[in-house]
């Protein structure tokens, strides 16, 4: 079971699963996925941008804003959830693997509420947005161990199926068809088909409670410490630090049932040190 179990009206949940009605017909009308496509690099949106230039076009002036109170009458957490996940994109998808406290059941589930949290020590955060602890959270709290594997183009369907609401004693590994690869330092296996995986230990836990009923826990965020990296040898540079996204081919989660790949990219160097910039006449005029 994945983290995205926010309580919703039944018709909204159905739309979340499939907003198209006959999805099979919709998909058959679309072109096939191009597994041979390569990431293309373009110029930045405005290569002539200079300090103080602001936006690269005037499009923003054509729009008006809608202001929303997340606690306005009749809104509820489901609508806030839909706005958060459809606007906060792209979100990487973690395939989290855990083992039950008795060691009998290996769990596998996708999470898009996942992100880097710290560097020293290296940490990731994962949020569980359900009022009841799902299998992954239950196992992690009991064993203090987890693996995270990157979801890529070649395993996205398998990762999606791992979100199935199966009984606690049934493992999602065989249902997904993915291969559990034994880990070095933790009991949970990681995904052999994934180009990037990490072994983790639980660092800390933060519960969140409803603003309208402080007795109701609505979600939990965990911080896990990376204690082992695994990455394809042709997907990392000689520095053993810089991953090649063109080899990893990650996918991202958007709103509803929408996912995406990374077909284009551009490179944009960070500004030089401000002590150097402040000698520029244009910068002097701005400050």
């Amino acid at each position: 079971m994945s983290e995205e179990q926010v309580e919703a009206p039944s018709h909204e949940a159905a739309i979340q699963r499939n907003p198209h009605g006959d999805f099979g017909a919709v998909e058959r009308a679309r072109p096939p996925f191009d597994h041979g496509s390569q990431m293309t690099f373009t110029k930045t949106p405005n290569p002539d941008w200079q300090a103080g230039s602001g936006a690269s076009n005037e499009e923003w002036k054509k729009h008006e804003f809608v202001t929303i109170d997340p606690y306005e009458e009749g809104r509820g957490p489901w609508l806030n959830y839909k706005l958060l996940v459809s606007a906060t994109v792209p979100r990487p998808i973690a395939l989290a693997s855990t083992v039950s406290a008795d060691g009998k059941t290996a769990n596998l589930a996708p999470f898009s509420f996942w992100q880097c949290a710290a560097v020293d020590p290296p940490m990731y955060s994962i949020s569980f947005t359900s009022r009841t602890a799902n299998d992954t959270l239950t196992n992690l709290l009991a064993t203090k161990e987890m693996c995270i594997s990157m979801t890529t183009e070649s395993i996205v369907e398998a990762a999606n199926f791992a979100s199935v609401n199966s009984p606690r004693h049934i493992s999602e590994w065989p249902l997904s068809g993915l291969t559990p690869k034994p880990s070095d330092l933790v009991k949970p296996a990681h995904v052999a088909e994934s180009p990037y995986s990490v072994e983790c230990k639980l660092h800390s836990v933060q519960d969140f409670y409803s603003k309208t009923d402080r007795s109701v826990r609505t979600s939990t965020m965990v911080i896990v410490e990376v204690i082992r990296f695994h990455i394809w040898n042709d997907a990392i540079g000689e520095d053993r630090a810089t991953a090649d996204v063109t080899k990893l081919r990650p996918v991202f989660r958007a709103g509803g049932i929408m996912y995406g790949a990374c077909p284009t990219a551009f490179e944009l160097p960070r500004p030089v040190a401000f002590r150097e910039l402040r000698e520029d006449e244009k910068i002097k005029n701005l400050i």
Side-chain angles (χ1 to χ4, degrees), residues 11-268:
H11 68 283
E12 290 284 6
I15 292 173
Q16 178 79 355
R17 288 191 295 269
N18 176 19
H20 297 292
D22 187 355
F23 179 72
V26 172
E27 188 169 45
R28 285 191 294 272
R30 293 172 174 168
F33 187 88
D34 184 2
H35 287 280
S37 66
Q38 299 297 316
M39 179 176 288
T40 58
F41 286 84
T42 70
K43 298 176 181 178
T44 64
N46 182 8
D48 298 323
W49 192 95
Q50 296 181 17
S53 295
S56 59
N57 59 47
E58 302 272 298
E59 177 65 25
W60 62 276
K61 294 183 178 180
K62 303 176 184 178
H63 302 274
E64 295 182 359
F65 282 92
V66 173
T67 300
I68 300 170
D69 179 350
Y71 304 108
E72 64 191 17
E73 185 176 357
R75 183 166 179 83
W78 171 246
L79 295 181
N80 292 332
Y81 163 79
K82 290 181 68 176
L83 182 55
L84 283 168
V85 300
S86 60
T88 311
V89 295
R91 299 191 313 280
I93 307 167
L95 263 176
S97 48
T98 55
V99 175
S100 60
D102 60 10
K104 294 181 179 179
T105 306
N107 178 259
L108 183 68
F111 293 83
S112 63
F113 278 34
W114 167 58
Q115 194 49 265
C116 300
V119 173
D120 184 15
M123 304 223 195
Y124 282 114
S125 66
I126 294 185
S127 291
F128 301 82
T129 56
S130 57
R131 295 191 177 191
T132 57
N134 63 14
D135 298 346
T136 302
L137 180 57
T138 298
N139 294 346
L140 177 60
L141 295 179
T143 66
K144 309 296 190 291
E145 295 183 341
M146 165 187 283
C147 285
I148 297 172
S149 299
M150 174 184 285
T151 299
T152 65
E153 294 174 3
S154 62
I155 64 171
V156 64
E157 292 91 353
N160 179 58
F161 201 78
S163 69
V164 64
N165 188 15
S166 59
R168 193 175 292 273
H169 67 282
I170 292 185
S171 171
E172 294 85 1
W173 281 97
L175 297 175
S176 71
L178 293 172
T179 306
K181 184 175 182 179
S183 297
D184 293 344
L185 303 175
V186 298
K187 289 182 180 179
H190 53 281
V191 177
E193 293 86 347
S194 177
Y196 174 74
S197 296
V198 289
E199 300 179 28
C200 304
K201 288 280 192 177
L202 180 63
H203 177 271
S204 54
V205 181
Q206 175 67 60
D207 288 327
F208 299 98
Y209 294 84
S210 170
K211 290 279 284 189
T212 57
D213 185 349
R214 297 295 297 172
S215 68
V216 177
R217 187 196 64 84
T218 57
S219 58
T220 298
M221 180 181 70
V222 301
I223 304 294
V224 293
E225 178 184 349
V226 177
I227 58 174
R228 189 70 99 230
F229 293 99
H230 301 279
I231 187 169
W232 286 351
N233 61 2
D234 61 344
I236 192 168
E238 294 183 1
D239 61 357
R240 289 168 56 87
T242 306
D244 184 347
V245 71
T246 66
K247 299 288 179 62
L248 299 179
R249 302 181 73 89
V251 295
F252 67 83
R253 180 81 188 273
I257 63 171
M258 185 180 296
Y259 296 78
C262 300
T264 61
F266 52 82
E267 296 178 313
L268 190 60

